[in-house]
Amino acid sequence: MNQREQMEQRGQWRITVWEEENFQGKRCEFMLECPNILDRDFQKICSIKVDNCPWVGYEYPEYQGQQFILEKGDYPCYQAWSGNSSYRTEHLLSFRPIKCANHSDSKITLYECEDMMGRKFEMCDDYPSLQAMGWCSKEVPSIKVNSGAWVGYQFPGYRGYQYIYERDRRQGEYKKYNDFGTQAHSNQIQSIRRIQH
């Protein structure tokens, strides 16, 4: 039995959501993904507690819209999950666990052209500025996740739009910026880090 199967069996993925800020109002605990919180008679999610393992929250049902990484901890209001993002949403409507996150064994390859072509750069560490480490552009046209899960940010210093890259989604291949997520409007990625497990 691999690590993920063991965790699923033990119910390792757990998140509690509240309809109001500061852990007030209606609440519900989840151990599996939730494609639409509205189906659970919630109007929205305004505060979150992640008990263990990382999750990704979305601004719209069916995992659409802006993505927000939710690692272990408390998120009493939207500022806590949107952090330094230039884009803020006051609530989330769907979320799912990130099952392939493995901070100690994460590897990703960035490519200078779409379809994983051109010059490439392999990395296995966090980079608050891709340009400072030698990437000569503000853009990353395609990405291959070799292992683990990563979050890329629009700007240096882990700021701006967030994009989640996972080995067990899309076979780890993000061939063009549209593959980054439904909210991706460009291939501008200037910082990237491993998702904490």
Side-chain angles (χ1 to χ4, degrees):
M1 186 179 300
N2 67 31
Q3 180 185 12
R4 182 166 68 179
E5 289 169 338
Q6 290 172 352
M7 291 176 80
E8 285 175 346
Q9 194 173 48
R10 292 188 306 233
Q12 290 294 314
W13 289 282
R14 188 170 46 246
I15 188 171
T16 306
V17 300
W18 284 263
E19 197 167 40
E20 302 300 329
E21 289 186 355
N22 298 309
F23 314 107
Q24 300 294 311
K26 192 183 300 183
R27 85 182 261 289
C28 191
E29 183 177 286
F30 292 86
M31 289 188 247
L32 297 171
E33 61 198 18
C34 177
N36 189 348
I37 197 69
L38 302 174
D39 292 342
R40 298 291 189 121
D41 293 324
F42 275 68
Q43 295 299 311
K44 60 194 174 207
I45 299 170
C46 289
S47 52
I48 299 167
K49 179 180 174 84
V50 177
D51 292 316
N52 43 26
C53 300
W55 294 71
V56 57
Y58 297 84
E59 72 177 315
Y60 299 120
E62 303 300 329
Y63 318 115
Q64 302 293 308
Q66 179 61 38
Q67 307 169 19
F68 295 95
I69 184 69
L70 302 167
E71 292 166 310
K72 185 176 180 179
D74 293 347
Y75 301 84
C77 60
Y78 76 91
Q79 291 97 335
W81 67 67
S82 60
N84 291 326
S85 177
S86 59
Y87 182 90
R88 291 191 162 89
T89 182
E90 294 184 11
H91 61 268
L92 301 176
L93 296 178
S94 58
F95 51 89
R96 63 176 178 78
I98 300 173
K99 296 182 177 181
C100 66
N102 185 346
H103 191 260
S104 63
D105 180 28
S106 293
K107 187 175 178 183
I108 193 168
T109 306
L110 311 180
Y111 293 87
E112 71 175 347
C113 300
E114 289 186 348
D115 297 317
M116 295 176 286
M117 304 292 288
R119 189 176 70 118
K120 65 182 181 178
F121 187 83
E122 290 185 355
M123 28 198 282
C124 55
D125 206 353
D126 302 344
Y127 287 96
S129 172
L130 291 176
Q131 288 182 300
M133 69 85 176
W135 190 256
C136 58
S137 174
K138 292 180 179 181
E139 299 175 343
V140 179
S142 58
I143 292 174
K144 168 76 174 167
V145 180
N146 304 334
S147 59
W150 296 74
V151 56
Y153 296 84
Q154 179 183 17
F155 301 119
Y158 311 120
R159 298 176 302 112
Y161 288 114
Q162 301 176 24
Y163 304 101
I164 311 301
Y165 308 108
E166 300 167 80
R167 173 65 186 111
D168 60 357
R169 291 234 185 245
R170 311 181 68 80
Q171 293 84 42
E173 297 181 354
Y174 298 82
K175 296 182 178 186
K176 55 189 180 308
Y177 78 87
N178 303 71
D179 295 342
F180 296 176
T182 61
Q183 86 291 2
H185 301 293
S186 79
N187 55 11
Q188 184 175 342
I189 302 294
Q190 296 185 63
S191 54
I192 195 165
R193 68 176 179 83
R194 297 163 291 171
I195 292 177
Q196 301 289 326
H197 188 266

